[in-house]
């Protein structure tokens, strides 16, 4: 299926290659570079390319291109999903997925790739299994290894590989047994010029960090599961019990993982936490414009809005800005034409305001469209949909775990048109 | 360094070499030095050597052979990981000479003990095949063998091998089809994708098209849904028989019957829509799209829309597929229209695809919102996207006649846009639109003619010229003028524009030769000497055709007909129109071109091939055991349904009294015993319980029943008897065994014993199961899981949250006064000292005699239960008629149907003799009338009790106005409406009693009638009084609407509208009873 993999950085250097079948020359990437030239933005490179003998499927992540070479028919999502899984694994192992990190750990990455695919077909992709076969690097271990000549590679077959729960390894032991769940909800919204909501929905995810000894069997139940409209689960969740009882019953993987993604049913009205008053004008003459943005709280459920940030992609003609915020800081990158206004905490008594002038390239025609504003925000201790975890029960083990649930609401793709 | 003795140095050297390989540098010179280390003891060095070998063996075949013996030795290693990795590397070395060795190794590994090694063998098959395709026949044998493998680990890999080596041998799948379907959910996600794709193809060859007969489908759908509910995966055989019976019955009625195996596939893949892996979701989606009956395809829409939140690459692929689906099944995605709205931050390709989907979804009802969206898009900075939007508007205009004029006007406005690309694109689209109805729009054509001065984009210029030429009769004055201008600039134009100028000239010459003869001649002369041969050719051809000379033949007579023939308007089509002949989700579909190795999705067969090929022969003794299992299941089933179902309260009360009287002596002695002792015994029971659990665990490991104490044996025997009898309900047997236990041992032990016997049953079942040795592993595992959960129930300690308790006590104290104010009927109120009020019907929970002096009544207080709104408040009323004080009244061992929850009442510490007390508990009945069973405990005794709610208590009143009521009622028609005719009881014909009786039977509130009449005069005064009541179910909040229409002489009609049909039906019965008696 997947024939070869090339890792390419943004400037177009291939810095890692791996072949699972016979070797394919680097020249195959030229077709990709051609397409990359054509698309100005790296996001605009088509993910699937056809060349005379091969097909190239690419993902763009962390400023890197993961390019895989395919020769025969395969489900493209299969490859895309797998490439993302590689990136996830690298991130999981080394904390981030960037060129320097991969270059520093090139052997480990290579070993990982060797384990993840066999003959182009995924072999082991669960991070728990991989970590047993190839231990993630830590400073302590590297010191110990140099002293004792020990190895980073496990010599036993990972226990999970054979069991029915491949995501969990056996013999986990912790002195502090704890299970934390983060309920993170993101508001996706499009608000039009007049402030009416064109489209809004809530997407949520439950991220879990479970450090429990042995084989705990957890049951997580909600106060109001009827809110959840569409869900997708980590493979550990027993679907039958969800269908019947609306509880999440699972034997968790060890460590951090995404337990479920959900979508809140569309009947519920989505509370929009902030309103934005904005006017951006470009004048026909004089090659300048004015900008005035005010943000205020709308439906915040009595919580404070934090991490407020406004990002504006300005038209190409805007050369520089002269703006003064009443709160926070404002930067403009004249190369990418991105205006970022980092506000921070929203104070309802004193609404933050940004105002000033924009100077434009002289002679350039007035832009027809005003740029839209992307809002970023964060509300702690609140799930905007009202979802609440009612309880977490553990079976199968005797100790008392420490449990915790945290709620956060964020702005997802929150856009205000102007 | 590689020659060094030290492992650490070797490792360092190998790491550097591998890093070189990773960067793409050639390291083949080192081959001899590296190969030497293949037998190295250090596992990490070894692995890196393997990596190196696989990379360079093809180039250095002779040297690579040196390493083979090491692998052959590795294949015999006791460690399965080493066996597997030896096979992996061996098969990855692409050296033709070792093909026989590989073949042998694969064959051996295919029958290895370890499933992991077998999996590796499956992986090795395609490798060998690509190295030497002549081994195909032998490999197919191995595949056939591995396909029969029952572990989930192997399934995905072997199907992968099957797809690569012999996708045409569909006959190999027959025997394994059902197994694959059943295993599917436990296979790892990558394997799922491959299996689902393969099964889609398989199903297309083996089953009939479910959409052959659309009209009959409706009927079939409902029939199938019923057994959809009886989803019981544990016993395949039984299920299949059930299904066969079902389908056989259906076959008599209608021609199309879905093969049960087809249904099996659809059913088993459906949960996978919830997978986190986008590839799996897509695979299921395409399976449903290609295989499911039309009515069922809708389920995939939600899942696909969910994927739109994922990475942009995933979005790209999903949108491509959605675009294809929307052409065929528009309705499926219509509810999700807004999810396809475009953000300015989306990459261009995503924007264009979303636009495509939006256009496909456009219809008469939603076109106005879509056009409003388009209007914002047109202003975007991304010009490619704007162009695509304009085209999309054009397509909406052609598809939907009503908005054609609006669109056209909008597009004409765009003609004054500053951006040339936008104008050009609009011109092209307008041209296409105008072609549909040119007569009306001569002014637009005029407007466009003016644009020729400004627009520079050749495509747009060409389009304008063509338009003017085509409709020159509508604009007789302007056309020659345009031609004049064009003739002037002819030499500087692009080729397509030149061609159109010639065209225009020719058409004008034919219609208006007086004015344009010279101009045409001029243009043609210019064209004659053009550099482009196409233009020269065209000019020559046209000159011959239109300019009459003596030589010109018959053709010139028809010149006018040739040029000014009515041209059919172009159809603006989606580029995704014909893509659905490719299997969705495939690479070929994405590229709209056949990719190498693509397997066509076959058409449905005319007649279904013999379905019996999929039957798996089951040895005689397994059948036996399965029958046994079934019996046991029957025993088990009533355990849930009987004891908690309708007959619950009475039966359990019976058994209660039995056990009570049976063990009176024992319990009597208990009562007299001191408090400390009982505490001790409790502790003892706890520790014992734990001990027993431990024992159980060890036993489980040993996997054979070990006989324990006497009492256990006896209960075991009991169970066995029941199992044989099969009809006796479990609850009965439970209570019986209880009795026995109690008479033999102390009451404190009874509970643990009880749980023990329960576990025993399970164990026996398992033992019975483990007898047939070659039985799917999965089943056993399932059982095991289930067992664990059952055991867990025992040590489930009900931890009442402490912060709730004060609320409860507060509630109970203030309840009395609350009740007064709230009770609906104006009949005599209960004396303020005592709750419950007489308006509320109270039920007996524990009879005075059974409870040894303790009498408990309960009623549904109809108050909102404040700690949890989804719970029904139950008010308990305790009376101690005994001579001794009752201490620490509390509840224990709550047994509930799935989904139900209970919030216990706070413990009553002391109830002195002759006193009474009240407490409130909350039960979430999940909108069902299943009973909640629990034990009511005093310090000394335990009583099994159960609370079953009448359906009327499962709702809470809501206030609706008459209009709201009617509106809601309108939405709950059809299946959700139940109407019954009745004759009212003689005593209950006036408004007051009817209202009272209905509200007594169900917790509903009256809808005020007539209050809306003033504001809505057209309502005719009703001849007969109508009474309306409204409520919502407590858990799910679905509306319950009740209407009673009275007629002459007590005749009446009762209508209940409720989304939950079961509730509706039961409510009708209850109200009917209340009104007729």
């Amino acid at each position: 299926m997947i024939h070869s993999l090339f890792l390419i950085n943004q400037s177009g250097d291939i810095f890692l290659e791996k072949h699972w079948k016979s070797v394919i020359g680097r020249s195959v990437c030229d077709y990709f570079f051609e397409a990359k030239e054509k698309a100005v933005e790296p996001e605009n490179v088509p993910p699937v390319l056809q060349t005379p003998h091969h097909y190239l499927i690419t993902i763009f992540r962390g400023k890197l291109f993961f390019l895989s070479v395919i020769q025969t028919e395969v489900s493209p999502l299969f490859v895309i999903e797998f490439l993302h899984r590689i990136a996830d694994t690298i991130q999981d192992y080394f904390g981030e997925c960037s060129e320097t990190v991969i270059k520093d750990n090139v052997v480990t990455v290579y070993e990982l790739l060797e384990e993840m695919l066999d003959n182009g077909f995924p072999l082991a992709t669960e991070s728990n299994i991989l970590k047993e076969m190839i231990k993630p690097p830590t400073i302590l271990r590297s010191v110990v290894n140099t002293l004792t000549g020990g190895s980073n590679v496990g010599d036993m077959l990972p226990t999970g590989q054979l069991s029915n729960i491949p995501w969990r390894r056996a013999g986990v032991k912790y002195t502090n047994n704890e299970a934390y769940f983060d309920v993170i909800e993101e508001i996706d919204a499009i608000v039009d010029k007049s402030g009416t909501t064109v489209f809004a929905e809530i997407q949520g995810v439950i991220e879990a960090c479970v450090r429990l000894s042995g084989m705990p069997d957890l049951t997580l139940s909600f106060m109001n599961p009827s809110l959840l409209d569409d869900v997708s689960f980590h493979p550990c969740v027993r679907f039958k019990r969800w269908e019947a009882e609306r509880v999440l019953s699972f034997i968790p993987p060890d460590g951090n993982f995404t337990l479920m993604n959900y979508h809140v049913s569309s009947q519920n009205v989505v509370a929009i936490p902030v309103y934005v008053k904005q006017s951006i004008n470009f004048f026909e003459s004089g090659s300048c414009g004015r900008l005035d943005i005010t943000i205020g709280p709308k439906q915040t459920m009595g919580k404070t809005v934090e991490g407020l940030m406004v990002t504006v992609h300005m038209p190409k003609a805007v050369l520089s800005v002269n703006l003064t915020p009443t709160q926070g800081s404002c930067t403009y990158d004249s190369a990418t034409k991105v205006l970022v206004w980092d506000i921070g905490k929203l104070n309802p008594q004193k609404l933050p305001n940004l105002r000033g002038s924009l100077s434009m390239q002289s002679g350039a025609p007035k832009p027809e469209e005003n740029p839209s504003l992307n809002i970023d925000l964060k509300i702690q201790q609140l799930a905007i949909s009202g979802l609440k975890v009612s309880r977490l029960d553990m079976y199968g083990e005797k100790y008392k775990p420490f449990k915790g649930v945290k709620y956060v609401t964020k702005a997802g793709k929150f856009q205000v048109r102007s | 360094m590689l020659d060094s003795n030290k492992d650490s140095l070797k490792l360092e050297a190998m790491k550097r070499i591998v890093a070189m390989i990773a960067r793409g540098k050639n390291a083949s010179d080192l081959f001899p030095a590296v190969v030497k280390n293949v037998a190295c003891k250090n596992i990490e060095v070894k692995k890196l050597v393997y990596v190196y070998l696989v990379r360079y063996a093809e180039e250095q075949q002779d040297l690579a052979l040196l390493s083979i013996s090491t692998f052959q030795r590795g294949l015999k290693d006791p460690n399965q990981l080493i066996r597997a990795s030896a096979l992996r590397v061996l098969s990855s070395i692409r050296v033709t000479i070792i093909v026989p060795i590989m073949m042998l190794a694969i064959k051996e590994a295919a029958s290895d003990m370890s499933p992991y090694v077998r999996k590796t063998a499956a992986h090795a098959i395609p490798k060998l095949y690509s190295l030497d395709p002549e081994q195909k026949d032998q490999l197919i044998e191995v595949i056939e063998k591995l396909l029969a493998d029952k572990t989930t680990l192997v399934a995905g890999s072997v199907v992968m091998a099957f797809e690569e080596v012999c996708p045409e041998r569909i006959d190999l799948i027959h025997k394994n089809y059902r197994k694959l379907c059943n295993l599917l959910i436990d296979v790892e996600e990558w394997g799922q994708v491959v299996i689902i794709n393969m099964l889609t193809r398989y199903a297309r060859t083996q089953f009939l098209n479910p959409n052959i007969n659309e009209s009959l489908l409706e009927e079939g759908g409902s029939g199938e849904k019923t057994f959809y509910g009886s989803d019981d995966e544990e016993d395949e055989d039984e299920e299949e028989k059930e299904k066969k019976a079902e389908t056989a019955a259906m076959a008599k009625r209608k021609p199309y019957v879905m093969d049960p195996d087809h249904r099996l596939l659809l059913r088993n893949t459906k949960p996978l829509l919830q997978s986190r892996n986008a590839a799996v979701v897509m695979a299921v989606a395409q399976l449903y799209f290609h295989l499911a009956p039309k009515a069922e395809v809708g389920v995939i829409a939600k899942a696909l829309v969910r994927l739109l939140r994922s990475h942009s690459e995933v979005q790209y692929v999903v949108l491509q597929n959605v675009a294809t689906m929307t052409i065929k099944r528009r309705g499926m995605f219509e509810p999700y229209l807004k999810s396809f709205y475009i953000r300015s931050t989306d990459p261009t390709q995503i924007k264009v695809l979303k636009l495509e989907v939006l256009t496909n979804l456009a219809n008469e009802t939603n076109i106005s919102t879509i056009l409003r969206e388009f209007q914002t898009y047109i202003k975007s900075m991304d010009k490619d996207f704007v162009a695509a939007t304009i085209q999309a508007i054009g397509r909406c205009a052609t598809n939907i006649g009503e908005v054609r004029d609006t669109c056209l006007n909008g597009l004409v406005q765009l003609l004054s846009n500053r951006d040339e690309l936008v104008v050009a694109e609009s011109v092209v689209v307008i041209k296409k639109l105008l072609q549909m109805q040119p007569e009306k729009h001569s002014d637009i054509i005029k407007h466009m003619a003016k644009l020729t001065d400004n627009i520079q984009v050749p495509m747009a210029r060409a389009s304008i010229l063509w338009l003017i030429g085509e409709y020159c009769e509508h604009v007789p004055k302007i056309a020659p003028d345009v031609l004049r201008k064009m003739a002037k600039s002819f030499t500087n134009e692009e080729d397509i524009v030149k061609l159109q100028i010639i065209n225009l000239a020719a058409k004008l010459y034919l219609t208006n030769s007086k004015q344009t003869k010279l101009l045409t001649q001029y243009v043609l002369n210019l064209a004659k000497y053009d550099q482009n041969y196409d233009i020269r050719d065209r000019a020559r051809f046209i000159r011959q055709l239109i300019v009459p000379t003596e030589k010109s033949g018959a053709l010139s007579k028809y010149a006018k007909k040739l040029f000014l023939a009515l041209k059919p308007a172009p159809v603006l089509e989606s580029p995704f129109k014909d893509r659905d002949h490719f299997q969705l989700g495939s690479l070929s579909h994405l590229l709209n071109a056949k990719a190498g190795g693509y397997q066509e999705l076959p058409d449905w067969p005319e007649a279904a091939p013999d379905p019996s090929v999929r039957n798996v022969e089951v040895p005689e003794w397994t059948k036996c055991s399965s029958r046994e299992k079934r019996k046991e299941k029957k025993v088990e089933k009533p355990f849930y349904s009987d004891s908690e179902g309708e007959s619950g309260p009475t039966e359990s009360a019976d058994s209660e009294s039995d056990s009570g009287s049976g063990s009176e002596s024992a319990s009597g002695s208990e009562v007299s015993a001191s408090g400390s002792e009982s505490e001790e015994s409790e502790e003892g029971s706890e520790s014992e319980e734990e001990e027993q659990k431990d024992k159980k665990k060890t036993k489980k490991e040993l996997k054979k029943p070990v006989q324990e104490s006497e009492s256990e044996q006896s209960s075991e025997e009991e169970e066995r008897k029941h199992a044989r009898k099969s009809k006796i309900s479990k609850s009965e047997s439970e209570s019986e065994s209880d009795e026995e236990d109690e008479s033999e041992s102390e009451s404190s032990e009874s509970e643990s014993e009880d749980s023990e016997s329960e576990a025993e049953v399970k164990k026996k079942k398992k033992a019975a199961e483990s007898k047939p040795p070659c039985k799917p592993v999965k089943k056993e595992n399932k059982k095991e899981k289930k067992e664990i959960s059952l055991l867990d129930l025992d040590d489930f300690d009900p931890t009442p949250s402490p912060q709730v308790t004060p609320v409860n006590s507060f509630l109970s104290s203030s309840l009395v006064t609350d009740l007064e104010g709230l009770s609906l009927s104006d009949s005599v109120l209960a004396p303020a000292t005592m709750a419950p009020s007489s308006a509320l019907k109270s039920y007996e929970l524990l009879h005075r005699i059974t409870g040894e002096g303790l009498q408990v009544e309960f009623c549904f207080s109809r108050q909102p239960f404040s700690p949890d709104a989804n719970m029904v408040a139950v008010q308990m009323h305790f009376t101690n008629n005994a001579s001794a004080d009752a201490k620490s009244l509390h509840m224990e061992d709550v047994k509930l149907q799935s989904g139900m929850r209970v919030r216990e009442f706070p413990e009553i510490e002391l109830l002195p003799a002759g006193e009474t007390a009240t407490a409130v508990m909350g039960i979430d009945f999940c909108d069902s009338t299943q009973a909640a069973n629990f034990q009511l405990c005093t310090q000394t005794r335990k009583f099994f009790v159960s609370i079953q709610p009448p359906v009327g208590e499962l709702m809470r009143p809501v206030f609706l106005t008459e209009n709201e009521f009617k509106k809601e009622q309108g939405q709950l028609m059809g299946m959700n409406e139940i109407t019954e005719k009745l004759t009212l009881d003689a005593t209950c014909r006036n408004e007051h009693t009817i209202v009272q009786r209905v509200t007594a039977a169900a917790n509903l509130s009256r809808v005020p009638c007539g209050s809306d009449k003033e504001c809505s005069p057209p309502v005719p005064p009703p001849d007969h009084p109508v009474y309306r009541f409204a409520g919502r179910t407590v858990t799910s909040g679905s509306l319950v609407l009740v209407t009673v229409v009275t007629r002459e002489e007590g005749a009446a009609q009762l209508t209940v509208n409720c989304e939950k049909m079961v509730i509706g039906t039961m409510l009708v019965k209850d109200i009917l009873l209340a009104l007729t008696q």
Side-chain angles (χ1 to χ4, degrees), chain B residues 695-704 766:
Chain B
K695 273 187 219 157
K696 264 177 261 163
K697 269 181 197 152
T698 52
K699 265 191 288 173
K700 230 191 299 162
E701 272 158 31
L702 286 169
K703 286 201 173 170
K704 57 179 182 184
K766 226 187 82 189

Side-chain angles (χ1 to χ4, degrees), chain A residues 342-393:
Chain A
D342 193 343
I343 302 168
K345 207 179 258 182
L346 179 68
N347 181 2
Q349 269 78 48
K350 194 171 164 291
L351 300 182
N353 170 272
L354 178 74
R355 135 184 359 193
S357 61
L358 313 167
S359 62
M360 321 247 300
Q361 212 173 338
S362 56
K366 172 188 163 221
E368 292 136 41
E369 188 205 27
N370 287 336
S372 47
L373 318 176
N374 292 304
I375 313 286
D376 228 343
L377 57 84
K378 205 167 165 186
I379 305 173
Q380 301 278 6
Q381 317 278 316
L382 172 73
I384 197 95
S385 68
L387 186 76
K388 274 222 148 53
V389 172
S390 92
R391 61 187 294 165
L392 177 75
D393 297 308

Side-chain angles (χ1 to χ4, degrees), chain A residues 17 26 48 60 73 76 85 114-115 118 125-126 164 186 188 231 233 366 369 372 395 415 417, chain B residues 22-23 47 88 127 189-190 274 276 309 313 344 373 379 418 585-588 590 596 781 792:
Chain A
E17 62 179 72
R26 287 180 166 207
V48 183
F60 181 68
E73 166 67 44
R85 201 60 68 82
E114 180 75 28
E115 286 302 331
D118 181 19
T125 50
E126 285 295 337
N164 257 12
E186 296 196 345
D188 285 2
V231 286
F233 297 124
K366 172 188 163 221
E369 188 205 27
S372 47
Y395 309 116
Q415 201 159 74
R417 291 175 177 166
Chain B
R23 296 210 181 87
K47 267 202 166 171
R88 239 182 103 184
K127 295 185 207 169
E189 40 199 358
W190 311 108
Q274 252 65 44
R276 64 164 169 179
R309 280 276 298 175
E313 296 88 5
S344 60
E373 267 298 297
K379 290 189 223 138
R418 200 177 302 113
S586 67
L587 186 62
S588 308
L590 190 82
N781 288 330
D792 289 339

Side-chain angles (χ1 to χ4, degrees), chain B residues 11-264:
Chain B
L11 185 62
E12 191 54 39
M14 278 318 296
K15 277 190 174 169
R16 287 190 197 171
I17 295 171
V18 169
M20 274 169 76
I21 298 174
R23 296 210 181 87
K25 296 195 181 110
N26 191 355
S28 59
D29 299 344
L30 300 164
F31 202 93
V34 174
V35 164
K36 267 191 293 187
N37 287 308
V38 74
C40 179
K41 284 279 173 293
N42 183 314
I43 194 112
E44 192 169 12
V45 175
K46 206 174 190 167
K47 267 202 166 171
L48 293 174
V49 172
Y50 284 179
V51 168
Y52 181 90
L53 260 178
V54 172
R55 172 69 177 74
Y56 286 111
E58 206 171 357
E59 296 170 24
Q60 311 249 349
Q61 304 220 347
D62 296 341
L63 284 170
L65 291 179
L66 294 175
S67 60
I68 302 297
S69 63
T70 324
F71 298 130
Q72 281 179 306
R73 222 174 307 130
L75 287 171
K76 303 260 178 329
D77 198 280
N79 183 340
Q80 47 182 351
L81 185 66
I82 293 179
R83 281 206 304 274
S85 68
L87 179 62
R88 239 182 103 184
V89 181
L90 183 68
S91 56
S92 301
I93 294 176
R94 300 177 56 81
V95 178
T96 344
I97 298 175
I98 60 161
V99 165
I101 303 177
M102 275 162 79
M103 193 65 230
L104 208 70
I106 292 175
K107 275 187 181 164
E108 229 162 72
S111 42
D112 197 284
M113 289 252 292
S114 153
Y116 185 67
V117 178
R118 294 204 296 271
K119 184 187 173 74
T120 318
H123 277 283
I125 293 169
K127 295 185 207 169
L128 181 55
Y129 178 66
S130 69
L131 191 62
D132 183 8
E134 287 184 5
Q135 305 290 325
K136 188 172 176 179
D137 291 339
Q138 286 195 57
L139 286 175
I140 290 177
E141 275 172 37
V142 181
I143 290 176
E144 194 170 2
K145 187 171 170 191
L146 284 172
L147 272 174
D149 203 296
K150 289 189 176 64
T151 48
T152 52
L153 204 58
V154 184
S157 305
V158 70
V159 172
M160 183 67 227
F162 171 83
E163 288 282 84
E164 291 217 356
V165 178
C166 51
E168 72 285 353
R169 288 290 302 275
I170 212 89
D171 55 301
L172 294 180
I173 303 300
H174 289 322
K175 289 259 180 283
N176 301 298
Y177 173 82
R178 283 173 199 162
K179 184 197 75 195
L180 282 174
C181 285
N182 286 320
L183 284 184
L184 195 56
I185 197 150
D186 289 332
V187 175
E188 35 93 39
E189 40 199 358
W190 311 108
Q192 286 173 346
V193 179
V194 178
I195 296 177
I196 293 171
N197 281 329
M198 186 274 290
L199 288 179
T200 310
R201 245 181 41 241
Y202 177 84
R204 271 293 186 101
T205 60
Q206 299 300 317
F207 307 128
L208 291 174
N209 186 353
N211 297 323
I212 277 178
N213 214 334
E214 303 254 20
S215 57
L216 286 159
L217 197 82
E218 295 282 324
E219 215 184 323
S222 64
E224 265 144 18
K225 280 231 173 86
T226 54
F227 82 70
Y228 218 65
S230 69
D231 213 19
D232 218 346
E233 264 197 45
E234 272 153 64
D235 199 335
E236 254 179 86
D237 285 13
E238 188 188 29
E239 199 174 282
E240 238 131 63
K241 268 173 209 166
E242 242 177 59
K243 271 195 284 178
K244 268 175 194 151
E246 182 101 32
T247 43
M250 286 200 296
K252 282 173 198 158
R253 280 190 275 120
K254 59 189 183 58
Y256 172 73
V257 182
M258 185 183 271
D259 190 295
D261 289 328
H262 189 171
R263 172 53 66 195
L264 180 75

Side-chain angles (χ1 to χ4, degrees), chain B residues 885-890 906-912 939:
Chain B
D885 295 355
K887 279 180 189 161
S888 74
L889 279 165
H890 64 280
E907 186 175 317
I908 298 174
E909 302 214 329
L910 180 71
L911 186 61
Q939 201 174 21

Side-chain angles (χ1 to χ4, degrees), chain B residues 165-388:
Chain B
V165 178
C166 51
E168 72 285 353
R169 288 290 302 275
I170 212 89
D171 55 301
L172 294 180
I173 303 300
H174 289 322
K175 289 259 180 283
N176 301 298
Y177 173 82
R178 283 173 199 162
K179 184 197 75 195
L180 282 174
C181 285
N182 286 320
L183 284 184
L184 195 56
I185 197 150
D186 289 332
V187 175
E188 35 93 39
E189 40 199 358
W190 311 108
Q192 286 173 346
V193 179
V194 178
I195 296 177
I196 293 171
N197 281 329
M198 186 274 290
L199 288 179
T200 310
R201 245 181 41 241
Y202 177 84
R204 271 293 186 101
T205 60
Q206 299 300 317
F207 307 128
L208 291 174
N209 186 353
N211 297 323
I212 277 178
N213 214 334
E214 303 254 20
S215 57
L216 286 159
L217 197 82
E218 295 282 324
E219 215 184 323
S222 64
E224 265 144 18
K225 280 231 173 86
T226 54
F227 82 70
Y228 218 65
S230 69
D231 213 19
D232 218 346
E233 264 197 45
E234 272 153 64
D235 199 335
E236 254 179 86
D237 285 13
E238 188 188 29
E239 199 174 282
E240 238 131 63
K241 268 173 209 166
E242 242 177 59
K243 271 195 284 178
K244 268 175 194 151
E246 182 101 32
T247 43
M250 286 200 296
K252 282 173 198 158
R253 280 190 275 120
K254 59 189 183 58
Y256 172 73
V257 182
M258 185 183 271
D259 190 295
D261 289 328
H262 189 171
R263 172 53 66 195
L264 180 75
L265 177 62
L266 290 178
R267 174 149 44 83
N268 282 354
T269 48
K270 198 175 170 198
L272 295 178
L273 280 175
Q274 252 65 44
S275 171
R276 64 164 169 179
N277 189 321
V280 177
V281 177
M282 189 65 232
V284 179
Q286 64 86 20
L287 180 129
Y288 262 77
F289 185 79
H290 289 299
L291 296 182
K294 277 218 169 94
E296 289 169 40
V297 181
V299 295
I300 65 176
K302 202 188 263 182
L304 287 178
V305 170
R306 182 183 68 227
L307 295 185
L308 294 180
R309 280 276 298 175
S310 192
H311 303 285
S312 75
E313 296 88 5
V314 175
Q315 286 185 38
Y316 175 76
V317 178
V318 171
L319 282 170
Q320 293 251 5
N321 288 296
V322 170
T324 307
M325 289 185 196
T326 44
I327 288 172
K328 261 207 160 169
R329 314 257 162 91
R330 184 164 62 192
M332 201 160 84
F333 287 95
E334 250 174 80
Y336 305 101
L337 183 74
K338 287 189 172 178
S339 303
F340 298 102
Y341 279 8
I342 293 157
R343 292 183 168 77
S344 60
T345 41
D346 287 333
T348 310
Q349 48 202 340
I350 303 283
K351 285 181 185 162
V352 172
L353 282 170
K354 279 187 175 173
L355 210 53
E356 173 69 37
V357 173
L358 284 176
T359 318
N360 288 341
L361 290 181
N363 60 17
E364 283 81 358
T365 48
N366 59 23
I367 184 70
S368 57
T369 39
I370 289 183
L371 280 181
R372 211 173 308 133
E373 267 298 297
F374 283 176
Q375 238 151 36
T376 39
Y377 300 163
I378 283 170
K379 290 189 223 138
S380 166
M381 283 180 271
D382 186 342
K383 291 306 161 206
D384 293 339
F385 168 54
V386 173

